[in-house]
Amino acid sequence: MGTYVHYSLGDKDGVKTAFLADLGVFLAWLDPRIAEYPDEFPAGMREKILDFMRRGDAALMTASREEARLIDLIVDEYYWNFSFDNHRHPAIDITPSMHKWYRYASELSDVLPAASAVACAYYRALFRGCSLAECDAHVYQSQDSVFHLSWLLPAQVVALLAELAPFESELDDMQDDQAGVLWVLVSLQEAKRARASLIVAIA
């Protein structure tokens, strides 16, 4: 089937509000799966979710990179498997159509050599993955090297759109790498209109 890029509109803080609000139903969904397939879930996952339920977003702060990695795995499980399995996706899908990941350039500068360093950094961030964990030097890592979850907050959406908009007329959706940038631009326009964050999931 291949790997696809999905765009959604999220809360003003990305996925954090929805994640913290859904912890009870998320754990109720997860418990029987952990019981049936214990080897498929990392140790400490259930305990960390209970920690979130007790302490809220304070539980996102950690000095342990191992715990930060666990937080990433929990958020990925919540956003992709739980949300879609329960038809309760926490964000509004605005994917233009099902576009495969191979149609995206790894670097914005490969498509738009005149793009600023700021635009290139934001573009990279959209596909690199984001973490809710607050841990010095921690960088999001995909569990399977395929699924990635990223977001730009509303102010970042506005900033990247301002950088990309002047290039819109140059982008040809029949050219793979240019089409990827065009779909990012269209999704940014939607997010700006909604004053929302832009969430990107690769799966």
mmCIF file with all atom_site columns, all heavy atoms in Angstrom, residues 109-121:
data_model
loop_
_atom_site.group_PDB
_atom_site.id
_atom_site.type_symbol
_atom_site.label_atom_id
_atom_site.label_alt_id
_atom_site.label_comp_id
_atom_site.label_asym_id
_atom_site.label_entity_id
_atom_site.label_seq_id
_atom_site.pdbx_PDB_ins_code
_atom_site.Cartn_x
_atom_site.Cartn_y
_atom_site.Cartn_z
_atom_site.occupancy
_atom_site.B_iso_or_equiv
_atom_site.pdbx_formal_charge
_atom_site.auth_seq_id
_atom_site.auth_comp_id
_atom_site.auth_asym_id
_atom_site.auth_atom_id
_atom_site.pdbx_PDB_model_num
ATOM 1  N N   . SER A 1 109 ? 14.922 23.006 0.064  1.00 0.00 ? 109 SER A N   1
ATOM 2  C CA  . SER A 1 109 ? 15.866 23.676 -0.836 1.00 0.00 ? 109 SER A CA  1
ATOM 3  C C   . SER A 1 109 ? 16.111 22.892 -2.126 1.00 0.00 ? 109 SER A C   1
ATOM 4  O O   . SER A 1 109 ? 16.547 23.468 -3.128 1.00 0.00 ? 109 SER A O   1
ATOM 5  C CB  . SER A 1 109 ? 17.195 23.926 -0.116 1.00 0.00 ? 109 SER A CB  1
ATOM 6  O OG  . SER A 1 109 ? 17.735 22.715 0.366  1.00 0.00 ? 109 SER A OG  1
ATOM 7  N N   . ASP A 1 110 ? 15.821 21.591 -2.102 1.00 0.00 ? 110 ASP A N   1
ATOM 8  C CA  . ASP A 1 110 ? 15.955 20.799 -3.334 1.00 0.00 ? 110 ASP A CA  1
ATOM 9  C C   . ASP A 1 110 ? 14.905 21.203 -4.361 1.00 0.00 ? 110 ASP A C   1
ATOM 10 O O   . ASP A 1 110 ? 15.099 21.029 -5.569 1.00 0.00 ? 110 ASP A O   1
ATOM 11 C CB  . ASP A 1 110 ? 15.796 19.308 -3.027 1.00 0.00 ? 110 ASP A CB  1
ATOM 12 C CG  . ASP A 1 110 ? 16.942 18.755 -2.193 1.00 0.00 ? 110 ASP A CG  1
ATOM 13 O OD1 . ASP A 1 110 ? 18.006 19.393 -2.163 1.00 0.00 ? 110 ASP A OD1 1
ATOM 14 O OD2 . ASP A 1 110 ? 16.761 17.695 -1.572 1.00 0.00 ? 110 ASP A OD2 1
ATOM 15 N N   . VAL A 1 111 ? 13.779 21.712 -3.876 1.00 0.00 ? 111 VAL A N   1
ATOM 16 C CA  . VAL A 1 111 ? 12.680 22.129 -4.755 1.00 0.00 ? 111 VAL A CA  1
ATOM 17 C C   . VAL A 1 111 ? 12.708 23.633 -4.985 1.00 0.00 ? 111 VAL A C   1
ATOM 18 O O   . VAL A 1 111 ? 12.516 24.115 -6.106 1.00 0.00 ? 111 VAL A O   1
ATOM 19 C CB  . VAL A 1 111 ? 11.319 21.726 -4.145 1.00 0.00 ? 111 VAL A CB  1
ATOM 20 C CG1 . VAL A 1 111 ? 10.171 22.106 -5.083 1.00 0.00 ? 111 VAL A CG1 1
ATOM 21 C CG2 . VAL A 1 111 ? 11.292 20.247 -3.843 1.00 0.00 ? 111 VAL A CG2 1
ATOM 22 N N   . LEU A 1 112 ? 12.929 24.377 -3.912 1.00 0.00 ? 112 LEU A N   1
ATOM 23 C CA  . LEU A 1 112 ? 12.944 25.834 -3.972 1.00 0.00 ? 112 LEU A CA  1
ATOM 24 C C   . LEU A 1 112 ? 14.292 26.338 -3.465 1.00 0.00 ? 112 LEU A C   1
ATOM 25 O O   . LEU A 1 112 ? 14.456 26.629 -2.277 1.00 0.00 ? 112 LEU A O   1
ATOM 26 C CB  . LEU A 1 112 ? 11.812 26.414 -3.109 1.00 0.00 ? 112 LEU A CB  1
ATOM 27 C CG  . LEU A 1 112 ? 10.385 26.013 -3.477 1.00 0.00 ? 112 LEU A CG  1
ATOM 28 C CD1 . LEU A 1 112 ? 9.392  26.550 -2.457 1.00 0.00 ? 112 LEU A CD1 1
ATOM 29 C CD2 . LEU A 1 112 ? 10.029 26.499 -4.882 1.00 0.00 ? 112 LEU A CD2 1
ATOM 30 N N   . PRO A 1 113 ? 15.287 26.422 -4.345 1.00 0.00 ? 113 PRO A N   1
ATOM 31 C CA  . PRO A 1 113 ? 16.625 26.848 -3.916 1.00 0.00 ? 113 PRO A CA  1
ATOM 32 C C   . PRO A 1 113 ? 16.640 28.227 -3.259 1.00 0.00 ? 113 PRO A C   1
ATOM 33 O O   . PRO A 1 113 ? 17.527 28.514 -2.448 1.00 0.00 ? 113 PRO A O   1
ATOM 34 C CB  . PRO A 1 113 ? 17.431 26.862 -5.218 1.00 0.00 ? 113 PRO A CB  1
ATOM 35 C CG  . PRO A 1 113 ? 16.699 25.912 -6.117 1.00 0.00 ? 113 PRO A CG  1
ATOM 36 C CD  . PRO A 1 113 ? 15.241 26.059 -5.764 1.00 0.00 ? 113 PRO A CD  1
ATOM 37 N N   . ALA A 1 114 ? 15.663 29.070 -3.584 1.00 0.00 ? 114 ALA A N   1
ATOM 38 C CA  . ALA A 1 114 ? 15.626 30.424 -3.025 1.00 0.00 ? 114 ALA A CA  1
ATOM 39 C C   . ALA A 1 114 ? 14.903 30.489 -1.681 1.00 0.00 ? 114 ALA A C   1
ATOM 40 O O   . ALA A 1 114 ? 14.821 31.558 -1.079 1.00 0.00 ? 114 ALA A O   1
ATOM 41 C CB  . ALA A 1 114 ? 14.955 31.376 -4.014 1.00 0.00 ? 114 ALA A CB  1
ATOM 42 N N   . ALA A 1 115 ? 14.377 29.380 -1.212 1.00 0.00 ? 115 ALA A N   1
ATOM 43 C CA  . ALA A 1 115 ? 13.661 29.379 0.069  1.00 0.00 ? 115 ALA A CA  1
ATOM 44 C C   . ALA A 1 115 ? 14.606 29.748 1.208  1.00 0.00 ? 115 ALA A C   1
ATOM 45 O O   . ALA A 1 115 ? 15.789 29.385 1.199  1.00 0.00 ? 115 ALA A O   1
ATOM 46 C CB  . ALA A 1 115 ? 13.044 28.011 0.321  1.00 0.00 ? 115 ALA A CB  1
ATOM 47 N N   . SER A 1 116 ? 14.082 30.453 2.186  1.00 0.00 ? 116 SER A N   1
ATOM 48 C CA  . SER A 1 116 ? 14.903 30.916 3.303  1.00 0.00 ? 116 SER A CA  1
ATOM 49 C C   . SER A 1 116 ? 15.274 29.764 4.232  1.00 0.00 ? 116 SER A C   1
ATOM 50 O O   . SER A 1 116 ? 14.657 28.694 4.213  1.00 0.00 ? 116 SER A O   1
ATOM 51 C CB  . SER A 1 116 ? 14.144 31.973 4.107  1.00 0.00 ? 116 SER A CB  1
ATOM 52 O OG  . SER A 1 116 ? 13.069 31.373 4.812  1.00 0.00 ? 116 SER A OG  1
ATOM 53 N N   . ALA A 1 117 ? 16.257 30.018 5.069  1.00 0.00 ? 117 ALA A N   1
ATOM 54 C CA  . ALA A 1 117 ? 16.660 29.027 6.070  1.00 0.00 ? 117 ALA A CA  1
ATOM 55 C C   . ALA A 1 117 ? 15.518 28.743 7.037  1.00 0.00 ? 117 ALA A C   1
ATOM 56 O O   . ALA A 1 117 ? 15.341 27.609 7.487  1.00 0.00 ? 117 ALA A O   1
ATOM 57 C CB  . ALA A 1 117 ? 17.895 29.522 6.829  1.00 0.00 ? 117 ALA A CB  1
ATOM 58 N N   . VAL A 1 118 ? 14.727 29.759 7.340  1.00 0.00 ? 118 VAL A N   1
ATOM 59 C CA  . VAL A 1 118 ? 13.572 29.585 8.234  1.00 0.00 ? 118 VAL A CA  1
ATOM 60 C C   . VAL A 1 118 ? 12.562 28.633 7.613  1.00 0.00 ? 118 VAL A C   1
ATOM 61 O O   . VAL A 1 118 ? 12.071 27.705 8.258  1.00 0.00 ? 118 VAL A O   1
ATOM 62 C CB  . VAL A 1 118 ? 12.909 30.950 8.534  1.00 0.00 ? 118 VAL A CB  1
ATOM 63 C CG1 . VAL A 1 118 ? 11.579 30.752 9.258  1.00 0.00 ? 118 VAL A CG1 1
ATOM 64 C CG2 . VAL A 1 118 ? 13.841 31.821 9.363  1.00 0.00 ? 118 VAL A CG2 1
ATOM 65 N N   . ALA A 1 119 ? 12.237 28.845 6.334  1.00 0.00 ? 119 ALA A N   1
ATOM 66 C CA  . ALA A 1 119 ? 11.287 27.977 5.642  1.00 0.00 ? 119 ALA A CA  1
ATOM 67 C C   . ALA A 1 119 ? 11.800 26.547 5.586  1.00 0.00 ? 119 ALA A C   1
ATOM 68 O O   . ALA A 1 119 ? 11.045 25.594 5.804  1.00 0.00 ? 119 ALA A O   1
ATOM 69 C CB  . ALA A 1 119 ? 11.015 28.506 4.236  1.00 0.00 ? 119 ALA A CB  1
ATOM 70 N N   . CYS A 1 120 ? 13.072 26.388 5.303  1.00 0.00 ? 120 CYS A N   1
ATOM 71 C CA  . CYS A 1 120 ? 13.657 25.039 5.224  1.00 0.00 ? 120 CYS A CA  1
ATOM 72 C C   . CYS A 1 120 ? 13.594 24.333 6.571  1.00 0.00 ? 120 CYS A C   1
ATOM 73 O O   . CYS A 1 120 ? 13.320 23.125 6.635  1.00 0.00 ? 120 CYS A O   1
ATOM 74 C CB  . CYS A 1 120 ? 15.098 25.118 4.731  1.00 0.00 ? 120 CYS A CB  1
ATOM 75 S SG  . CYS A 1 120 ? 15.256 25.634 3.007  1.00 0.00 ? 120 CYS A SG  1
ATOM 76 N N   . ALA A 1 121 ? 13.820 25.075 7.650  1.00 0.00 ? 121 ALA A N   1
ATOM 77 C CA  . ALA A 1 121 ? 13.773 24.480 8.988  1.00 0.00 ? 121 ALA A CA  1
ATOM 78 C C   . ALA A 1 121 ? 12.356 24.046 9.341  1.00 0.00 ? 121 ALA A C   1
ATOM 79 O O   . ALA A 1 121 ? 12.150 22.956 9.906  1.00 0.00 ? 121 ALA A O   1
ATOM 80 C CB  . ALA A 1 121 ? 14.299 25.475 10.017 1.00 0.00 ? 121 ALA A CB  1
#
